[in-house]
Amino acid sequence: MSDNKPVVVYGASGYTGRLVCEYLRELGVPFVAAGRSKDKLVDSMTSHVPGIETADYEVAEVEHTVEALTELLTGARVVLNTVGPFSKYGPEVVEAALAAGVHYTDTTGEQDWLITCEETYGAGYAEKGLLLAPGIAQMYTTGEIAAEICLEQPGLDTLDIAVFWGGSPTIASTRTILVNAATSKAHYLEQNAYVEFDPTAGLVPLVVPGQHELALSLPWGGTSHPVWYRRDPKVATCKAQGGVFNAALMNGVPQIVAGALEATKDMDAEQRDEALTATAAQVMNQMPPRENPRLNKSLDSVHASGPLGRAHCVIHGNQNYKQTGLLQAYVAYSLLQQPPRRVGFASGCQAFGHRELLGQLRAFGLVAEPVVTRQRG
């Protein structure tokens, strides 16, 4: 169906999906804005995507089934999926993309979904020469860029990653956080093996470069980084934590999650999903305002260490959702012109190069020049 538009944005009516479409327009990439409601899609494109009148796009309503999505994706080359929670809604899109022979990316941070992608679908994508790249988003990819800059120094095998941002999660992100907390465990990587975070540990204070006040952090589902680095011979240990700069909001997160877990512990899957959706709506039930670079700042800090060396990279940025939108649009733009560096399951940096992705974020004014310090043995 998508013969004339090589890129499909699934979930285009959502907050992140709109931004992906915005950057596809800026990069001159024709696309299909797809989702489950044509009315919402039309409203989102015409009311919330600046410059949409100059974009080459069309709108497509589609049922969330493998069959319908396969028909939609046939003839396209890339699908950019923003529909979460991905552990719940991702399988149909991944299976449809594989059947249609198109590259797949998404914006997930759900560690269990990344593991599923790698273990269940990675080989099938590799056999077809297709890329399966979940988790291309500011909260994961910008931190991965910082990690890769550190790892340009040989002999470093341990990554300590911190990710912070200003603002609050979207409606979809809030729901995903609660669903992920209720249904899966969070892991870090220690000597090439997954180790579960202590679910009772609560908030952890972290030193944040550039400020005197400590910031509060959580494992945030374990993040994508331990999964990406589990099969990287450079890295044996990787732990990531993060949060928002707003301390009051961070202090409330553990209580909200604990309350949701207690209230849903005896429910079946369907009842639990309904209850968690209702809880998420109480926390965040409207689209956040468009990001303001003076308010919506981001910070990615990575300490890398080895037996005789250390490196530290800090990337200050702004508008983390716009970073995600640009990263998604750019990888589609790249895939239309040349094959990725790696097929099958891969991260953004593994498939496209960390310096290349950094260059795009810098070119669009979304991150500053990385601050790097090194100590060699």
Side-chain angles (χ1 to χ4, degrees), residues 48-279:
H48 300 287
V49 180
I52 193 63
E53 66 278 1
T54 65
D56 182 4
Y57 80 103
E58 61 188 56
V59 168
E61 184 177 83
V62 61
E63 293 182 2
H64 189 79
T65 65
V66 174
E67 294 75 19
L69 288 165
T70 300
E71 181 180 356
L72 172 70
L73 297 177
T74 299
R77 295 175 62 187
V78 186
V79 59
L80 310 177
N81 183 19
T82 68
V83 178
F86 294 89
S87 56
K88 178 177 176 65
Y89 296 111
E92 291 86 348
V93 191
V94 167
E95 291 170 20
L98 183 59
V102 307
H103 300 292
Y104 173 96
T105 79
D106 68 35
T107 58
T108 190
E110 300 162 55
Q111 197 177 78
D112 59 330
W113 171 237
L114 271 95
I115 293 171
T116 296
C117 284
E118 180 181 26
E119 295 180 351
T120 304
Y121 303 109
Y125 270 75
E127 288 174 6
K128 285 193 171 184
L130 297 172
L131 175 65
L132 174 61
I136 297 181
Q138 182 276 327
M139 192 174 173
Y140 316 103
T141 306
T142 310
E144 185 193 11
I145 291 170
E148 289 296 315
I149 289 173
C150 289
L151 292 171
E152 289 174 353
Q153 177 176 329
L156 308 181
D157 62 9
T158 299
L159 298 175
D160 177 1
I161 301 173
V163 180
F164 285 90
W165 67 98
S168 60
T170 62
I171 300 170
S173 296
T174 302
R175 183 186 176 206
T176 298
I177 290 165
L178 290 175
V179 171
N180 198 235
T183 59
S184 63
K185 299 177 180 179
H187 300 89
Y188 58 94
L189 191 68
E190 186 171 301
Q191 296 303 313
N192 303 113
Y194 291 132
V195 179
E196 184 184 354
F197 275 99
D198 179 0
T200 66
L203 294 165
V204 176
L206 290 186
V207 174
V208 176
Q211 69 181 47
H212 293 109
E213 185 179 355
L214 296 176
L216 299 174
S217 72
L218 288 167
W220 229 256
T223 78
S224 305
H225 307 96
V227 184
W228 290 333
Y229 283 112
R230 189 170 70 91
R231 298 187 185 278
D232 189 322
K234 299 189 299 295
V235 177
T237 298
C238 176
K239 181 180 285 188
Q241 299 236 135
V244 297
F245 290 116
N246 186 328
L249 179 58
M250 283 300 294
N251 276 309
V253 171
Q255 285 77 17
I256 294 168
V257 171
L261 293 179
E262 179 63 26
T264 60
K265 65 180 181 180
D266 297 322
M267 295 180 179
D268 61 30
E270 185 174 348
Q271 292 173 323
R272 182 182 59 202
D273 187 61
E274 291 178 358
L276 292 174
T277 299
T279 301

Side-chain angles (χ1 to χ4, degrees), residues 340-351:
R341 297 184 179 190
R342 184 184 298 186
V343 295
F345 179 82
S347 70
C349 291
Q350 290 164 348

Side-chain angles (χ1 to χ4, degrees), residues 359-370:
Q360 293 303 311
L361 293 172
R362 295 274 293 133
F364 281 82
L366 294 173
V367 302
E369 182 71 22

Side-chain angles (χ1 to χ4, degrees), residues 320-363:
N320 54 296
Y321 281 98
K322 290 191 74 174
Q323 290 182 48
T324 298
L326 172 60
L327 288 166
Q328 285 284 325
Y330 173 73
V331 300
Y333 174 76
S334 178
L335 286 167
L336 296 182
Q337 299 177 72
Q338 64 182 15
R341 297 184 179 190
R342 184 184 298 186
V343 295
F345 179 82
S347 70
C349 291
Q350 290 164 348
F352 302 99
H354 64 285
R355 289 289 179 180
E356 286 73 11
L357 296 182
L358 173 64
Q360 293 303 311
L361 293 172
R362 295 274 293 133

